[in-house]
Amino acid sequence: MKVLQVSAEIFPLLKTGGLADIAGALPAALTAVGCDVRLLLPGFAPILQDLQDASLLAELTAPWGERVRLLQGSLASLATQAYVIDAPALYQRPGSPYEDAQRQPYADNYRRFALLGWVAAQLAQALDKSWQPQVVHSHDWHAALAPAYLHYARARQAQRVGSVYTVHNLAYQGVFARQHFAELGLPEAAFAMHGLEFHGQLSFMKAGLYYADRITTVSPTYAREIQTPEQGCGLDGLLRSRANMLSGILNAVDEAVWSPATDKLIPFAFDALKPAGKAHCKAALQKEMGLAVQPRAPLFGVVSRLTEQKGLHLVLSAIDDLIARGGQLVVLGSGEAWLEAALMAHAEKSPQAVAVNLGYDESLAHRIFAATDVTLVPSRFEPCGLTQMYGLKYGNLPLVRRVGGLADTVVDCTLENLAEHSANGFVFDDFSTDAFGRALRRAFALYARPREWDAVAQRAMQTDFGWNASALNYLDLYRQVAA
Ligand code: ADP
């Protein structure tokens, strides 16, 4: 099965969130189940730098007249064949791939990412004579025009190429002013309610949802939630109408990157059978972050984008209680200024109990998962969530809200779940300080019983979050849509 994976980010080259982790893990996971995977990526500097044995496949003229080059080579970090769009005027900009230094989306984002979908469709039309995909699998709004271009190219195509579109977060939609539609090279008919028009504007996300042969999202629960008005971001009607084409395939953990037994980024190795290293990791992090070095202080961790989605105001509201109960908190994240400031204020007030690192630090993220006892993920909504799974792998019991992929991966430590050995964390329902506070108290209560806690943590570390099952689910979809 020849599959072209199309995404804007890819770990370890360029990452702003979970999308990159998944894009980075899929090539190996799909190869392991027999797929022939190639990647299509925008030519951001770290991606171009990683491209080995690059050759020029084609010079192309984008629908709006811009000349771009398509390179072909092998990505050294991923050991995967890749096509990279070399368009320095579009992609060679410092900082975030999507926003300028003032955190404003680039005004030409519609061109920067339409190009990604458009080139995918060129490759589907045998631009590379030696390799033509049977399926184009595109991810999130940045790559969401691929199914639309593919749909309109089908009339000209000898061989039908299937399209699969994965939503990693429905809240980020890529909506642009109508006036830009004419530049995209799509037929007028596409700008319609039955197309990519969204309340008079043009929506990349809607293009993906409307034109793809199959839609997936990253957990079964989120697949249901996005069909409701509460979580559908205005697209629930379309999603309900395509419910037969929509499925939830749970994200998995790349165990080559996230395993405490082999992780080079943490100071002491450990695993379920030899857990002693975790206590050393905890002491090392407490020291590093200026926290009191107390082995029996339950250490709570947050590794997150600091946005409204993540529900971190609930954490803020509980910090005093958490400290009063003898706990500690470490936060690594960046995002909204008010949240950053509020967290910093707590760290300044209680430096022995609260440590905050504002920024993005892959290696510190690993040290935090290795050190902490509880990973906090109180999200308002969460398509899948990766940090609760990383937490489990590193012997944390996650404390999460029962939404999206969090609901699919964390089982509350109720008495009956403990008795049945299914419990692995703390789950609350209401998006309220009360409900969060009660879950926090449950965490403290279990922590006060070390033997029970350790037994749950040991099982947590042994959870199978490997890619095999999810990769087979994707392969099944590819078979359904390929000619
Ligand atoms: P989302 O994609 O909504 O940001 P996920 O939980 O799916 O949330 O994925 C987040 C990914 O980004 C995880 O790999 C997490 O470890 C990482 N991450 C988030 N914030 C930071 C940060 N400040 N520093 C390092 N890694 C981070």
Side-chain angles (χ1 to χ4, degrees):
M1 178 63 65
K2 294 198 186 78
V3 187
L4 183 69
Q5 294 285 335
V6 191
S7 66
E9 314 181 5
I10 193 155
F11 179 84
L13 300 173
L14 185 76
K15 166 168 165 177
T16 73
L19 165 66
D21 285 1
I22 303 314
L26 269 176
L30 292 170
T31 304
V33 297
C35 292
D36 174 4
V37 182
R38 293 197 181 185
L39 307 169
L40 171 64
L41 297 157
F44 295 119
I47 293 172
L48 280 173
Q49 279 155 20
D50 199 57
L51 192 69
Q52 310 289 298
D53 305 322
S55 63
L56 180 69
L57 178 69
E59 289 196 61
L60 301 164
T61 305
W64 53 90
E66 188 163 354
R67 298 284 291 166
V68 301
R69 292 165 10 118
L70 185 62
L71 305 179
Q72 177 181 16
S74 163
L75 285 177
S77 319
L78 287 125
T80 302
Q81 289 291 310
Y83 303 97
V84 178
I85 305 169
D86 184 23
L90 294 176
Y91 301 131
Q92 297 282 5
R93 298 173 191 177
S96 156
Y98 314 118
E99 303 170 343
D100 62 20
Q102 283 69 48
R103 295 210 170 134
Q104 293 306 307
Y106 287 117
D108 58 352
N109 271 351
Y110 69 94
R111 284 187 178 180
R112 300 172 76 226
F113 297 108
L115 189 60
L116 192 57
W118 181 79
V119 173
Q122 305 307 306
L123 286 163
Q125 292 168 77
L127 181 67
D128 180 351
K129 297 285 174 270
S130 64
W131 193 90
Q132 185 185 4
Q134 293 164 274
V135 176
V136 172
H137 183 175
S138 53
H139 298 268
D140 264 356
W141 76 263
H142 328 100
L145 286 195
Y149 285 118
L150 234 100
H151 173 84
Y152 289 107
R154 274 182 185 152
R156 299 190 292 276
Q157 248 176 309
Q159 190 196 327
R160 188 184 195 282
V161 176
S163 60
V164 174
Y165 174 59
T166 296
V167 180
H168 294 259
N169 193 332
L170 191 66
Y172 300 92
Q173 301 193 344
V175 173
F176 302 97
R178 187 214 156 111
Q179 75 206 59
H180 301 310
F181 176 74
E183 295 176 50
L184 301 183
L186 286 163
E188 268 307 309
F191 196 84
M193 194 180 91
H194 295 290
L196 49 69
E197 184 264 338
F198 186 61
H199 301 293
Q201 295 186 290
L202 92 93
S203 164
F204 278 42
M205 174 65 78
K206 191 176 167 201
L209 300 180
Y210 184 80
Y211 290 103
D213 296 328
R214 293 290 184 281
I215 307 163
T216 77
T217 188
V218 289
S219 71
T221 296
Y222 194 59
R224 286 192 297 277
E225 289 170 345
I226 57 177
Q227 297 179 52
T228 66
E230 297 75 43
Q231 296 242 35
C233 303
L235 291 163
D236 46 292
L238 172 57
L239 285 160
R240 281 195 301 279
S241 76
R242 302 212 65 203
N244 293 341
M245 302 297 150
L246 166 66
S247 55
I249 299 180
L250 193 67
N251 278 341
V253 173
D254 188 342
E255 285 166 345
V257 181
W258 297 100
S259 289
T262 52
D263 189 338
K264 297 276 181 297
L265 299 175
I266 65 175
F268 301 92
F270 61 93
D271 62 22
L273 301 177
K274 287 199 189 123
K278 184 163 175 77
H280 297 304
C281 288
K282 180 171 176 176
L285 188 83
Q286 285 171 323
K287 202 158 162 225
E288 173 187 347
M289 305 291 282
L291 297 167
V293 182
Q294 290 173 353
R296 286 299 304 155
L299 180 56
F300 295 78
V302 173
V303 177
S304 181
R305 293 184 292 117
L306 303 179
T307 65
E308 203 252 331
Q309 174 197 339
K310 301 292 180 179
L312 295 168
H313 64 283
L314 297 179
V315 176
L316 278 178
S317 71
I319 290 183
D320 289 337
D321 184 44
L322 187 153
I323 298 173
R325 289 173 188 276
Q328 297 180 338
L329 174 69
V330 50
V331 180
L332 167 62
S334 66
E336 288 170 23
W338 74 271
L339 250 174
E340 292 189 348
L343 287 164
M344 279 314 278
H346 278 285
E348 276 155 24
K349 195 172 86 184
S350 319
Q352 297 254 302
V354 179
V356 176
N357 189 311
L358 298 179
Y360 194 93
D361 187 336
E362 193 69 30
S363 155
L364 178 57
H366 284 246
R367 295 200 296 284
I368 290 177
F369 291 118
T372 45
D373 299 297
V374 178
T375 300
L376 296 171
V377 199
S379 304
R380 190 163 71 78
F381 67 94
E382 194 59 74
C384 178
L386 293 170
T387 60
Q388 83 282 10
M389 293 197 271
Y390 298 158
L392 287 163
K393 279 276 167 209
Y394 286 71
N396 283 268
L397 308 193
L399 189 161
V400 308
R401 181 150 176 263
R402 198 188 314 275
V403 284
L406 301 171
D408 294 335
T409 51
V410 184
V411 181
D412 192 37
C413 279
T414 58
L415 284 177
E416 63 274 25
N417 291 339
L418 284 168
E420 289 161 10
H421 302 305
S422 58
N424 65 3
F426 310 94
V427 185
F428 66 101
D429 288 279
D430 278 359
F431 194 48
S432 69
T433 51
D434 246 25
F436 179 77
R438 279 198 301 279
L440 200 65
R441 296 211 299 278
R442 282 205 298 290
F444 275 99
L446 192 67
Y447 196 78
R449 303 165 173 212
R451 281 185 50 200
E452 275 180 73
W453 181 284
D454 290 346
V456 177
Q458 187 182 30
R459 275 199 309 277
M461 281 190 260
Q462 289 167 322
T463 321
D464 179 10
F465 286 123
W467 265 106
N468 190 49
S470 298
L472 287 171
N473 284 330
Y474 282 118
L475 179 59
D476 185 39
L477 287 184
Y478 299 157
R479 288 197 174 121
Q480 290 173 32
V481 301

